[in-house]
Amino acid sequence: MRKKLVAGNWKMHGSLQNNAALLERVKAGVVDLACEVAVCPPYPYLAQAQSLLAGSAVSWGAQSLSEHPAGAYTAEVSAAMLLDFGCRYVLVGHSERRTLFGETDEVVAAKFAAAQQASLIPVLCVGETLAEREAGLTASVVSRQLSAVLDVRGVAALASAVVAYEPVWAIGTGVTATPGQAQAVHAAIRRQVAALDASVANGLRILYGGSVKPQSAAELFGQADVDGGLIGGAALVADDFLAICRAAN
Ligand code: 13P
């Protein structure tokens, strides 16, 4: 049985003061939950997450990382630096990174590799745009994004990774994928991995992300191949995030 994971992606939100209150509430609210809970604050707040969450049931991670180990890459942050701050997870290939910052499938695969080489758990984000969905390209886009990593890293690498299906049209729009839409893509992702290694596929956690709210979480997480969620806006509101975590329980 796959242990469910609910991860909050704070994106570029937060302040020392607001984060402290949010993290304390999340920490106190998840003590009895069987699912795993993680938060991904902006880089400057990882030290705060480390000091407030160390020893608690809440893990933390970063929203991206450099594909390079060190060097003249101004403003970049390496996997080793994330480890220094106790990160367990790191998002790679979020659609905002792909669209707004030009991250290609190749760059995403290199970041995935850099994360794993430092023993961080990459959360590989995949998902189609609205135009791609309407053109009937959902399966091929998601499969291509996954293949870019499988080709470079091999299927065994997915034994220590997480995949997040985040349809771009559902991110921050208030339009959540229906449970059926999410399940169909999640099942296709698992089938693609199973064709290479059934046991890795069976153990792989596939999260859904895109306008998950307390009201929609339980039905989404009840789908056979939905193993939790990657939460944006609702992760910034303690009550909402905790309600979503409870829905995964
Ligand atoms: P929203 O939950 O705000 O739609 O964001 C989803 C997301 O992008 C998480 O990574």
Side-chain angles (χ1 to χ4, degrees):
M1 196 53 204
R2 297 179 291 270
K3 188 174 188 173
K4 285 209 166 28
L5 168 64
V6 177
N9 172 10
W10 291 8
K11 308 194 180 185
M12 199 172 73
H13 295 289
S15 67
L16 281 176
Q17 198 182 350
N18 290 348
N19 303 347
L22 178 55
L23 291 174
E24 290 298 346
R25 293 221 32 218
V26 170
K27 188 164 78 166
V30 304
V31 281
D32 295 326
L33 298 186
C35 66
E36 202 185 335
V37 174
V39 293
C40 298
Y43 292 132
Y45 301 125
L46 290 172
Q48 183 188 29
Q50 182 179 36
S51 85
L52 290 179
L53 298 176
S56 81
V58 182
S59 314
W60 59 97
Q63 298 171 15
S64 187
L65 80 168
S66 172
E67 63 271 42
H68 305 291
Y73 301 103
T74 299
E76 290 291 274
V77 174
S78 72
M81 294 170 189
L82 300 182
L83 267 193
D84 265 349
F85 290 94
C87 288
R88 175 171 170 80
Y89 294 101
V90 60
L91 309 184
V92 297
H94 190 281
S95 72
E96 287 149 22
R97 300 300 313 171
R98 294 178 188 263
T99 310
L100 302 173
F101 300 96
E103 290 187 10
T104 61
D105 284 343
E106 290 66 35
V107 168
V108 172
K111 290 186 179 218
F112 185 102
Q116 288 197 322
Q117 277 150 12
S119 302
L120 293 164
I121 300 173
V123 179
L124 171 67
C125 303
V126 298
E128 81 289 0
T129 64
L130 183 59
E132 288 164 341
R133 173 164 283 266
E134 287 175 350
L137 296 173
T138 300
S140 66
V141 167
V142 170
S143 164
R144 187 204 75 221
Q145 291 171 334
L146 185 59
S147 291
V149 168
L150 286 169
D151 291 350
V152 172
R153 296 293 294 164
V155 68
L158 284 190
S160 41
V162 174
V163 172
Y165 169 55
E166 297 207 306
V168 179
W169 47 270
I171 295 177
T173 58
V175 181
T176 316
T178 66
Q181 285 172 324
Q183 168 58 23
V185 177
H186 285 227
I189 291 170
R190 204 177 303 284
R191 275 197 305 274
Q192 183 177 350
V193 178
L196 300 168
D197 189 316
S199 141
V200 170
N202 193 40
L204 178 65
R205 290 188 293 184
I206 308 174
L207 314 184
Y208 168 79
S211 296
V212 178
K213 299 284 180 273
Q215 312 82 272
S216 54
E219 204 184 342
L220 282 163
F221 300 164
Q223 303 301 305
D225 290 294
V226 179
D227 305 307
L230 184 54
I231 317 302
L236 299 169
V237 181
D239 285 340
D240 288 354
F241 188 61
L242 288 170
I244 291 168
C245 294
R246 282 193 295 273
N249 204 37

